[in-house]
Structures are given as structure tokens and as C-alpha cells.
Amino acid sequence: MPPDAPGPRVPARAAGILLGFAADRLLADPRRYHPVAGFGRAAAAVERRLYADSRARGAAHAAALVGAAVALGVAAERLTVRPTARAVVTAVATWTVLGGRTLDLEAGAVQGLLRSGDLPAARTRVRRLVGRDTGGLDVPEVSRAVVESVAENTSDAVVAPLVWGAVAGVPGLLGYRAVNTLDAMVGHRNARYQRYGWASARLDDLVNLPGSRLTGVLTLVASPARAGDAWRTWRRDAGRHPSPNAGVAEAAFAGALGVRLGGTNRYDGNRVEHRAVMGDGRPPRPQDITRARRLAGRVGAGAALTAAVTAAVLGRRQWGYRSSCSARRRPTRALWRRLRPGG
């Protein structure tokens, strides 16, 4: 058996995904020297050299940085031949790209400020989760911002990277996080990035398609008592959201929690966006943040198990193919040794 073969045990990729998910839940993101922050600094440096009000320049920016991240992942997998080393590298990469625990902590911090009656501090803290202007938000609007962020980022920062890790390993994990980070940096609808950030924004929409749909399905599974409401809200309201992916997560969460999401958001001090209302329930309250966090935890755990099973199945199929190829080659080599001169 070759040293990188999964064998009868759990394949290295599946084990690494589960270990990395557990590490994220236990450790959250490091406060200093986070690799994603380092990638962001590199991306900003590339932008300073490449920037022009041009889609072509923006596409080159995205291709160079995402390509570098994928190449790093390929190199990491090729340098780790043994299953244990491969599992460790996959676990580290998974922990690096996931953001579920940090999302949960930030949502809990805003919730704590709302419960204590400190609305000004809650308005300030919620800026870590959303890009909208928060200075004039009341308690229901701050609660809505948190629930929407928990829904969207459960898809973007937990489910989607696990999907790409399951099907493409470390290159998929690092490549996905590169795309998602670039979208957060340049994928904005403003004067500077309308054209330059177009490629990053469209690429992010594309790579998040499978993760957002899995998030919707797992939301139904994780809330069986309200699965019907979640499904109806998803089918009716998700398509009216500006994002083809965030709409799925937010609509499913709205139906599962029995709250109403969407409405008017203000950005950059002067841009107003009237988003479609999703769900038929009441406006969110601070206690709904707890329910959204718990639902996100169940969805994340379901995504980790789904990704591990997928990785295991794909790994065993690949090993079965390699074994059958080896079995076919062995008689051919033996026959050649007999027929060659002096054999």
C-alpha cells in the first residue's frame, strides 16, 4: 500500500476537516498573526500596484491572488505524503479558514450589550459584523443586523469552506478563503470598486453557490419543528435578496426562527438600500440572537459531518481506483520481466 493511501482507516482529508472544525470551535481565530490577515495585507499591496478603474485589472488581481493561494495548497498537499501529516495540514488549513467561533463570540458580545441596555456600545460593536451604518439603529434593528450576519456568515465562513475542503482538500480551503477575502476587500458597489472589484464579487458569488444551498438544507434539518416555514420562506423570499447566496441563508433562518429580516440599510453615509423583507414573523429581539447562534451551531456541525463523509467517500473511491489500476499493471510487469532478454 503506498504511504499516501487512505487504507481502511478514515481518510486523512476527512479526519483533518473534523479536527480543524473542532479547533475552530475551541480556539476561535488567533488575535494576532492570523494568516488571513497576512493574505489581506498582501492583497492590499498587489492592489496598490495594479489598481485602475478597469475590470481587466481587477480580474488580474483576483486571478493572481487566488492562484497563489491554490498553488500554496497544492504544494502543502504534495509535501505531506503520509496520512498523519496530510491530516494535520488539512486540520490547520481548516482551522485557518473557518470563522464560526469568532462569529458566535461577536454576536454574543453585541447581545450582551443589548441586554445590559448599552445601545450606543452595541451599535459600535455590531460594526464588526456588518458593513451598514449603525449609528442610528434601534434595538430591533441592531438585533436584525446580528441575526442577518450570523445567517450569512454561517454560510460564508463555515459551510462553504467545508464544502470546498471536502471536494478539493487544502487547495480548495485556501482558494475559497482567498476569494471570500478579496470580495470583502474590493467587492463593493462604490465608485472605486464598481469595476475593479467586479471579478472578485462575481467569483465569490460562484464559489458560494453550493455552500449557501447546503446551508439552506441544513437549516431545515436543524429546525425540524419549523422546517416547513423555513422552506416556504426560502422559496418565496431568497430570490429577492441582492445576493444570490446570502438570500438563501437569511431567508431560511428567518423562517426557522419565525422572525422578519430585511428592510432598509444605509451605507457610506449616503447610500440607502431597500432590501426585500424575508419572513412573516415579528422583528428580531435580543433573545433571538441566542436562537440564531444555536441554530448556526447546529448547521455548522451538520456541515462538518457532511464534509467529512463526502471527503471519506471521495477518498475511498480514489483509492479503489488506484488499487484496481495497480492490480492491472502488476501482471503486465511480470510478463515483461519474463519476456525480456535474460529474464
Side-chain angles (χ1 to χ4, degrees), residues 40 43-44 46-48 51 58-59 61-62 65 178-190 192-202:
V46 173
E47 180 187 344
R48 286 193 293 271
Y51 178 81
H61 177 231
L65 289 160
V179 171
N180 196 245
T181 303
L182 289 177
D183 178 61
M185 295 179 68
V186 304
H188 306 296
R189 300 175 182 176
N190 56 30
R192 178 175 175 84
Y193 293 122
Q194 185 72 35
R195 293 172 62 83
Y196 188 81
W198 177 85
S200 294
R202 298 291 77 74

Side-chain angles (χ1 to χ4, degrees), residues 44-63:
V46 173
E47 180 187 344
R48 286 193 293 271
R49 291 180 175 273
L50 269 183
Y51 178 81
D53 188 19
S54 161
R55 284 188 177 184
R57 287 290 189 95
H61 177 231

Side-chain angles (χ1 to χ4, degrees), residues 2-4 17 37 39 43 46 54 60 95 108 113 160 175 208 218-219 242 262 267 276 284 318 323 338:
D4 62 339
I17 286 172
F39 175 84
V46 173
S54 161
W95 171 57
L113 292 170
N208 273 295
L218 291 173
T219 301
Y267 300 89
Q318 183 181 27
S323 299
R338 291 182 183 180

